[in-house]
Amino acid sequence: ATSVDTGFEPLPDDGAEDPTADELASLVDEFYAARTSTESLGSMGESDGGVVFQGEGDPMSAAGVVVDTVRLVAERRNGIAFRLNTLGLCGLDDIELLLSSGVLTRGDADQRRETRIATVSVFLPAANPNKYKELLQPKIDGMGFGDVCSFVARLAEAGVDVECTAVARPDVNVGEVKALAMSLGATSFRTRSWIGPSVE
């Protein structure tokens, strides 16, 4: 969806502050309050696609804001499933903050009716360190393939629903990426279509 479709636009590149948890929670609340009867979420919310944390930056770089946003929304609304889209390149402190926050669903069916982060979706573009570095070109000093693998494994060990995604590029063996993701403990794997030029 484009900014015209959603009403959302990138923040101006003029030093504007990142949104706070209060601002994000208010946006979520406004969205759900504006739903009309023709946009039914279903009697149990089964038609609700939920809310996704994603943007030009990685949400895990503001893990505290993510956690606080979910907590604030949970105080106002029940049954909203959040998804966190991330590269998984973050420090141990941020991982522990996320895991200890109580905002992650951990396999309990009853928890799925509560407002929580239901899924963490991790972009895993390749199955080996060299291809990963070539494709992603991580901008975080010292972080790379091993860190994203550790991130997936740590969350999976904690019972979090982790989805891994990859792009079906001609120069990537998606089968190998899927095998790696599942061996790390991911519960699902999704392939995105390649829409770029042919790759030699």
Side-chain angles (χ1 to χ4, degrees):
T2 66
S3 59
V4 173
D5 299 327
T6 64
F8 290 96
E9 296 179 7
L11 289 171
D13 194 18
D14 61 0
E17 296 280 328
D18 286 340
T20 65
D22 284 327
E23 291 168 331
L24 292 173
S26 293
L27 283 173
V28 172
D29 204 37
E30 288 171 22
F31 171 79
Y32 280 96
R35 298 296 292 248
T36 67
S37 58
T38 59
E39 300 172 306
S40 173
L41 301 178
S43 61
M44 297 294 290
E46 66 274 8
S47 300
D48 183 11
V51 177
V52 179
F53 286 108
Q54 176 179 310
E56 291 185 17
D58 194 307
M60 283 301 294
S61 66
V65 173
V66 168
V67 166
D68 289 345
T69 299
V70 176
R71 285 180 176 150
L72 288 169
V73 173
E75 290 173 4
R76 304 171 190 172
R77 297 185 176 273
N78 199 26
I80 296 178
F82 283 84
R83 186 174 81 228
L84 174 64
N85 288 359
T86 180
L87 298 175
L89 299 176
C90 55
L92 292 175
D93 289 348
D94 289 328
I95 296 171
E96 292 309 314
L97 171 65
L98 190 62
L99 288 173
S100 65
S101 67
V103 302
L104 285 167
T105 299
R106 297 191 189 213
D108 185 333
D110 288 336
Q111 287 188 0
R112 298 203 177 277
R113 290 194 285 270
E114 299 174 12
T115 293
R116 293 177 186 255
I117 298 173
T119 304
V120 177
S121 183
V122 182
F123 182 55
L124 186 62
N128 67 72
N130 291 335
K131 192 66 175 178
Y132 179 90
K133 186 174 182 180
E134 173 195 334
L135 295 176
L136 195 62
Q137 300 176 7
K139 307 233 181 334
I140 303 170
D141 288 341
M143 300 204 87
F145 182 75
D147 299 289
V148 69
C149 290
S150 296
F151 180 81
V152 172
R154 179 71 183 93
L155 268 62
E157 287 168 3
V160 177
D161 181 8
V162 181
E163 169 194 66
C164 286
T165 65
V167 175
R169 293 173 54 104
D171 59 341
V172 170
N173 185 327
V174 174
E176 289 181 358
V177 182
K178 180 177 181 180
L180 171 63
M182 302 314 277
S183 74
L184 293 170
T187 52
S188 61
F189 180 81
R190 184 166 45 95
T191 305
R192 299 176 183 178
S193 299
W194 170 249
I195 55 173
S198 62
V199 177
E200 297 296 326

